[in-house]
Amino acid sequence: MTVGLDAAVLLARAQAEAGYDDFGDPTLPERFAQAVDHLNGIGLDANGIAAAERVCHWLLTSRLMMFADRTRVPIAEEVIDRPMFVTGEPRSGTTLMHALMSVDPHARALRFWEVMYPSPPPALAAPDDPRRDNADADWREINAKMPKWLHSHPYNDMLGDGLPEDERTWAFDFRVMTPTAWWRVPMPALVAGLPTDPAAQYRLHKAMLQQFQYHREPKYWVLKGFHGFRLKAFFDTYPDANLLWLHRDPVQVAASRTMMMADILDGIVGPIDLRVEAKNHLEMTRASIANTMTSPVVDDPRIMHIPYVDFIADPIGTVRRYYGFCGRSLTPEAEAAMREYLATNRGDRYGKFRYSTTLLTDIGESLDDLHAEFAPFRERFGVPVEKRD
């Protein structure tokens, strides 16, 4: 019989190893216990339990050491000045937009090696700091397990220097359990059902930005995440932030994200039922579009809305417009770096990512009915119906 995880034992072991006992949030032990209950209840074999134990220990000790750093040096005094964020539905060009801004020599983006191994602050690391190498090795393992993911997300070839979404910081809060960079555990993704607290989640996100900014050359942050459901807490935490919101045809979004997740899960748990996945992702897309259409914060003047097709037609022009919207200038050296990125990082460099809207018709949906359903959204944000197949 496989022996499960023990939350209390894992918490105590992490505190002993870190030499620090404050997780920075008194609710974390209870939340961690819920995460452990989930892991113990999904039928992991001995290897899966061992993998989950390693991941939990890594996240717990990393969090403890990061908060210990904040007691030793004045990290909490770091000011996050006018950060620039990108958001949108999955598969809407947000990663490319973020990647372009990340090569601006005047900008700073989160990097996987930092977020995966947040302590100590990079500015205080030793010359032989192994974290970049460790994160590169982690990502080589991920890419080997999930080679199809490179078709839809070729950015994974950046390895530890890659660009995490803002939600990745919440792995250390046990509010997301996504089996990719952190949860290298043979389990389905868990993106709902865990306790949420947007204000607390953004506090942790800001703490990480402060951690990585501390004692380094001043630069402005360029970031990317799925912030549409948490706009009030987002702007409460970052009142001087700006947000670029890319909008794409929801039918294409639902089909593309279905195939992308199928490719990811194929490398983790094996082949999945595409019909089930398509139903799930269509419902998630519907919920997100409904939120976009009803949230009173969507029309906040700090948000710039751009159709995906306009961005794809002129990526650099879109970046320039967004910089102007934020009161910043796109410098010649930044533009040159972005054009070089586009020229040397073709989206199909690992093979063309293929998906079809037949994923939706196969589950009994009518494309005409879906286009009619999403017409108010498309009209509001200038989003055309995309014809791909």
Side-chain angles (χ1 to χ4, degrees):
M1 180 177 177
T2 301
V3 178
L5 303 169
D6 186 312
V9 169
L10 287 169
L11 288 165
R13 178 184 161 210
Q15 290 169 321
E17 181 169 314
Y20 191 70
D21 62 4
D22 184 2
F23 287 100
D25 180 352
T27 70
L28 184 128
E30 179 182 354
R31 191 164 56 256
F32 177 64
Q34 291 177 275
V36 166
D37 286 344
H38 174 77
L39 291 167
N40 285 335
I42 59 176
L44 294 173
D45 62 15
N47 289 333
I49 288 290
E53 182 175 351
R54 287 193 298 272
V55 170
C56 289
H57 183 68
W58 165 31
L59 294 173
L60 290 170
T61 53
S62 293
R63 180 180 178 122
L64 285 164
M65 290 187 292
M66 189 186 82
F67 277 93
D69 291 338
R70 294 171 72 86
T71 69
R72 290 190 285 265
V73 290
I75 294 168
E77 296 177 10
E78 289 291 317
V79 176
I80 308 303
D81 181 40
R82 296 187 297 141
M84 301 165 65
F85 289 80
V86 181
T87 197
E89 296 298 315
R91 315 302 300 157
S92 293
T94 55
T95 304
L96 176 58
M97 179 71 186
H98 186 209
L100 291 175
M101 294 197 300
S102 75
V103 299
D104 179 348
H106 311 288
R108 172 171 289 118
L110 289 173
R111 301 291 176 174
F112 270 114
W113 72 268
E114 296 171 336
V115 181
M116 295 173 80
Y117 300 99
S119 178
L124 303 185
D128 60 349
D129 185 357
R131 287 180 291 179
R132 289 178 183 267
D133 290 340
N134 290 345
D136 283 350
D138 291 335
W139 271 98
R140 288 190 182 96
E141 177 187 337
I142 294 164
N143 287 340
K145 286 183 177 180
M146 293 173 270
K148 293 180 182 179
W149 195 10
L150 283 164
H151 296 167
S152 61
H153 206 274
Y155 313 92
N156 290 349
D157 64 4
M158 297 171 71
L159 303 177
D161 206 40
L163 302 166
E165 294 153 352
D166 296 314
E167 287 79 5
R168 302 290 191 168
T169 64
W170 300 332
F172 296 88
D173 219 20
F174 295 93
R175 298 187 192 275
V176 293
M177 296 167 69
T178 304
T180 51
W182 282 269
W183 287 100
R184 277 168 286 155
V185 178
M187 58 178 280
L190 181 63
V191 295
L194 293 170
T196 60
D197 181 343
Q201 289 165 242
Y202 282 116
R203 283 197 298 271
L204 178 60
H205 180 268
K206 183 176 180 180
M208 284 202 166
L209 297 190
Q210 292 172 320
Q211 180 90 350
F212 307 140
Q213 178 177 290
Y214 178 73
H215 218 58
R216 294 170 91 180
E217 177 187 358
K219 294 186 177 186
Y220 44 80
W221 282 99
V222 292
L223 301 149
K224 175 226 170 173
F226 301 104
H227 299 290
F229 282 98
R230 299 174 290 266
L231 290 173
K232 182 180 184 305
F234 171 84
F235 281 122
D236 285 348
T237 306
Y238 300 112
D240 61 351
N242 285 111
L243 185 64
L244 173 68
W245 199 322
L246 294 173
H247 296 285
R248 188 179 185 188
D249 180 352
V251 172
Q252 299 297 328
V253 165
S256 182
R257 67 190 287 184
T258 295
M259 200 67 237
M260 180 185 72
M261 283 308 302
D263 286 348
I264 291 172
L265 292 173
D266 181 74
I268 299 171
V269 296
I272 63 165
D273 188 330
L274 272 176
R275 292 170 61 87
V276 172
E277 201 70 16
K279 289 178 181 178
N280 289 339
H281 283 286
L282 177 58
E283 289 311 308
M284 284 189 278
T285 301
R286 280 176 163 143
S288 187
I289 296 300
N291 173 75
T292 300
M293 293 295 289
T294 58
S295 170
V297 191
V298 167
D299 292 322
D300 188 286
R302 291 166 288 189
I303 301 174
M304 181 181 190
H305 297 277
I306 295 287
Y308 163 84
V309 292
D310 290 358
F311 167 59
I312 295 301
D314 187 6
I316 302 299
T318 301
V319 174
R320 184 179 295 105
R321 287 178 62 191
Y322 184 42
Y323 272 52
F325 181 81
C326 298
R328 291 190 168 108
S329 298
L330 181 62
T331 64
E333 58 266 37
E335 180 173 344
M338 293 175 191
R339 293 193 182 280
E340 173 70 12
Y341 182 91
L342 287 172
T344 57
N345 291 274
R346 287 178 55 91
D348 59 357
R349 57 190 179 273
Y350 296 100
K352 188 172 179 59
F353 173 58
R354 300 186 184 281
Y355 71 92
S356 171
T357 53
T358 57
L359 289 166
L360 304 178
T361 57
D362 286 347
I363 59 172
E365 297 286 347
S366 159
L367 295 186
D368 288 341
D369 289 348
L370 288 173
H371 291 317
E373 175 184 342
F374 295 123
F377 163 82
R378 290 189 289 100
E379 291 166 6
R380 179 174 175 181
F381 296 105
V383 177
V385 172
E386 288 183 51
K387 300 293 187 183
R388 292 178 60 93
D389 51 33

